[in-house]
Amino acid sequence: MADSQQHDVDDQPVFHAPTFYPSSSIAALRKHYVGRALKDVQAPAVVIDAATARRNCQLMLDTTRKLGVGFRPHVKTHKTTELTKLQVGEDTRDVKLVASTVSEIEHLVPYLQECREDGKSINVIYGLPVSASSIPRLAKVVRELGENTVSLFVDHKVQVSLLDSVADDTWPGKISVFVKVDVGYHRAGVAVGSGQLADLAYALNASQRVKVTGLYAHMGHSYAVSSPAEALKAFSGELQGLEEAAIEFLKCAGAVTSRNPDAPKMVLSLGATPTTTSTQNILDDSESTKEYRELLERVNRSFDVELHAGVYAVLDMQQLATRARPAHAASESAGSMLSFADLGLRTLVEVTSTYDDRGKPEAMMAAGSIVLGREPCKSYDGWGVVSPWPAKQGHVYDPEGERTGWMVGRISQEHGVLTWEGPVDKLRRLQIGEKLMIYPNHACMNGPNFAWYLIVDSDSDDPDKVVDVWVRWRGW
C-alpha cells in the first residue's frame, strides 16, 4: 500500500459497534422481567438455563485441563459477556477467545480490561481472514488492550502484504497471526500441500511486521458424525491434518529447531463442538480411545495444542444428532452424557390456533424462520422440537428414539406450523394461548433477531422464574 493510501486508512474515523448499535437498558429489562414466571412473559423469547450452561462450560474446562491442552471458547453463539465468563472460567489465567465479528471483539473490551487488571493474559482471534476494512477497528482494540491481545487469520500472501503496510503507531507491536488451514471443510483456509501454503509461508517468513502464533483449523463438517467413535475419528483426522500443515509450513519458512527449552511452541488450534466435546470420551481411559489419547499427547509435546468450540455451551438439536458424546455413560464418567437435559437454550412460543382435521393434528405458533432460523437437522425433517415444558416429563419427539411428540413441521417468515408425530392416542392436546418451549436446530441462528436472553436457573427453587436478563451484542 502506498504511503498516501496508508495515511488515508489511519486517519479515517473509526467505526465502533457499541456506539452505533446501542444495547437496551439492562436496568429497564431487569425491572420488567426479573421475578416473572415464564408463562407470563411475552412470546416469542429466547430462554437460557444458566444451570445447564454452567455445567456444559465447566465440563469442557475440566476436560481440557485433564488432557493438558489449551481451550479457546468461541463467543459467536450467544454474544454476551455473562456467558463468555462462564466459558472462560473464573480461575483461568490465560484468557483466549475467538469471535466472528469485529463487533463481538469491541464489546469484549471492558471484560478483557478487567481480566488484564487481574493479571491475566488475554488474546482474542478475529475469526475470518483479515480484511482491510477491519484493521482500523481491530487496531484500536489493540491500542486499548496492549500488544498481542488480538490475533488475525491469514490464508493468502496478499493478506501479509496488507499487514506489512500497517503503521507501528496504528497497531502497536508485531501483528499476531494464525495461518488458517483447510482440513476438508472448504470454507476459509489454505490446503495442505498447496502452492498457496508455500507462498504464504515465504511471505510470512519475510515479513518484519507480523509474527506467526500458530495454525488454526475448523472441523465444520464434523456435524455429519453420528456417534462418539465417528466424532473421535474426525478429531484425529483434523489433528493429524493440522500437524502435517504445521510441519510443511515450518519447512517452507526455513524454521530450525530451537536449542532453548523455554522457547514458545507453535500453537495448533483445532475443533468444532462435535470434535471438541468428543475428547470428553478420551477421559474414559478405555482401550477404544487409547490411540486418540496417544496421538494428542504426542502432538502436544511438539506443539501447543488448544481446542476451540462455541455452541457447546448451550447445545441444540444439531449437536444432539452428532451423538459426539454417548447418551448413556459406559463408565463412571457420567458427566460425558449427551441428552435433551444438556440443551440449555430454548425458544418460548405461544399457540395461536389449532387444527384437528388436517389428517394429523397441527397447531399454529407466532414464530417462524425469523425466530428459529432456517437450518435443518440431519436426524429429522423439522425445524425444532417441542419440549415437555412446563411439565418435567412427557412425550418429546426424539429423532433417535420414540418419534412421538410435537415438532415444528413447517415454517415461513412469522408463522410456524406445529405437527404431531406418532400415535394419536398419545397426543398432547394444545390449547390456544398456551406457551411452549422449543429446542432449536441451531442455537447460533436462534438468537440473532433477539436483543436479549431471559435467564432461568433449573438448580433454583423455581426453575420457571426469570432470574436475570443477558443483553446480546449487536452489529458487525
Side-chain angles (χ1 to χ4, degrees):
M1 182 184 290
D3 290 343
S4 60
Q5 290 176 305
Q6 183 187 72
H7 178 78
D8 291 341
V9 171
D10 294 345
D11 288 353
Q12 66 182 349
V14 178
F15 186 92
H16 184 243
T19 299
F20 293 101
Y21 290 94
S23 298
S24 302
S25 166
I26 186 63
L29 289 170
R30 286 173 173 160
K31 182 178 180 181
H32 179 76
Y33 284 112
V34 171
R36 299 181 69 179
L38 285 176
K39 65 181 180 62
D40 298 326
V41 168
Q42 173 72 44
V46 180
V47 180
I48 290 178
D49 184 346
T52 304
R54 282 195 301 268
R55 287 194 294 271
N56 290 340
C57 291
Q58 192 59 52
L59 181 58
M60 198 66 253
L61 290 171
D62 291 344
T63 298
T64 51
R65 286 168 183 164
K66 289 175 182 177
L67 292 174
V69 298
F71 183 56
R72 185 181 293 270
H74 207 311
V75 302
K76 70 172 184 176
T77 296
H78 55 88
K79 300 177 189 277
T80 69
T81 301
E82 293 86 352
L83 194 39
T84 298
K85 290 180 178 180
L86 294 181
Q87 290 180 293
V88 169
E90 187 175 344
D91 298 331
T92 299
R93 305 303 300 172
D94 189 9
V95 179
K96 298 181 291 188
L97 299 165
V98 57
S100 284
T101 65
V102 180
S103 173
E104 292 165 26
I105 297 175
E106 290 171 335
H107 279 91
L108 280 167
V109 167
Y111 166 61
L112 294 176
Q113 287 174 328
E114 292 177 8
C115 292
R116 185 184 59 183
E117 291 168 1
D118 289 339
K120 300 178 179 181
S121 64
I122 55 177
N123 178 264
V124 57
I125 297 175
Y126 174 51
L128 275 78
V130 60
S131 60
S133 61
S134 67
I135 290 175
R137 294 169 64 187
L138 293 169
K140 185 175 184 294
V141 172
V142 175
R143 294 197 299 271
E144 293 175 356
L145 296 178
E147 296 182 16
N148 301 317
T149 53
V150 174
S151 296
L152 305 174
F153 281 162
V154 292
D155 61 5
H156 197 284
K157 65 180 182 179
V158 172
Q159 296 153 355
V160 181
S161 298
L162 173 65
L163 297 178
D164 282 341
S165 69
V166 177
D168 291 341
D169 57 354
T170 297
W171 191 301
K174 295 271 191 176
I175 301 175
S176 167
V177 300
F178 280 77
V179 175
K180 185 67 183 291
V181 177
D182 179 9
V183 290
Y185 191 34
H186 302 324
R187 193 169 68 177
V190 57
V192 181
S194 66
Q196 185 168 330
L197 178 59
D199 291 343
L200 178 59
Y202 297 146
L204 287 167
N205 187 50
S207 174
Q208 299 298 309
R209 194 69 183 90
V210 305
K211 69 171 185 177
V212 179
T213 301
L215 282 77
Y216 185 107
H218 174 63
M219 195 72 166
H221 48 307
S222 64
Y223 279 52
V225 305
S226 300
S227 69
E230 289 181 8
L232 280 173
K233 184 177 180 180
F235 167 77
S236 172
E238 181 182 19
L239 181 55
Q240 291 180 79
L242 199 56
E243 179 191 32
E244 181 183 352
I247 293 171
E248 180 182 333
F249 173 84
L250 291 171
K251 287 180 179 178
C252 291
V256 295
T257 302
S258 174
R259 296 182 178 179
N260 179 7
D262 298 322
K265 294 186 289 186
M266 178 171 284
V267 176
L268 299 188
S269 187
L270 71 153
T273 289
T275 50
T276 294
T277 58
S278 76
T279 61
Q280 294 162 14
N281 301 300
I282 298 177
L283 299 177
D284 282 348
D285 200 29
S286 63
E287 191 65 28
S288 62
T289 61
K290 181 179 178 181
E291 64 177 292
Y292 303 113
R293 292 195 305 274
E294 292 178 346
L295 170 65
L296 183 58
E297 290 168 357
R298 178 184 64 75
V299 177
N300 203 34
R301 285 194 291 270
S302 300
F303 301 93
D304 273 338
V305 176
E306 70 173 31
L307 306 181
H308 55 254
V311 76
Y312 76 95
V314 293
L315 297 169
D316 50 30
M317 291 301 297
Q318 287 184 349
Q319 295 306 317
L320 206 60
T322 69
R323 297 298 181 190
R325 293 183 283 151
H328 304 286
S331 67
E332 295 299 319
S333 60
S336 69
M337 295 186 294
L338 178 60
S339 69
F340 281 106
D342 298 303
L343 307 191
L345 185 147
R346 297 164 294 170
T347 304
L348 182 72
V349 301
E350 184 173 354
V351 177
T352 61
S353 192
T354 60
Y355 312 98
D356 296 329
D357 56 356
R358 290 185 173 178
K360 63 180 178 181
E362 294 188 347
M364 174 63 62
M365 65 177 185
S369 60
I370 288 181
V371 170
L372 296 173
R374 191 179 280 275
E375 291 211 14
C377 180
K378 68 185 179 72
S379 61
Y380 76 112
D381 294 327
W383 305 99
V385 169
V386 178
S387 79
W389 182 88
K392 292 184 178 180
Q393 294 182 337
H395 281 294
V396 177
Y397 181 86
D398 185 353
E400 306 296 329
E402 185 181 6
R403 292 174 173 255
T404 299
W406 287 101
M407 73 174 182
V408 184
R410 302 189 300 278
I411 52 174
S412 50
Q413 191 164 318
E414 282 90 10
H415 299 69
V417 178
L418 300 170
T419 59
W420 176 261
E421 308 296 329
V424 178
D425 62 340
K426 296 182 179 181
L427 175 66
R428 170 189 174 184
R429 292 203 173 274
L430 302 180
Q431 304 298 321
I432 295 175
E434 182 179 356
K435 299 284 179 61
L436 305 172
M437 290 276 237
I438 308 292
Y439 296 122
N441 281 354
H442 191 179
C444 299
M445 297 306 298
N446 199 183
N449 280 311
F450 291 87
W452 57 81
Y453 302 106
L454 302 183
I455 309 303
V456 297
D457 192 329
S458 58
D459 285 344
S460 68
D461 294 334
D462 189 350
D464 291 334
K465 182 177 71 175
V466 178
V467 297
D468 202 358
V469 181
W470 294 350
V471 172
R472 180 184 168 93
W473 310 320
R474 301 167 57 229
W476 300 98

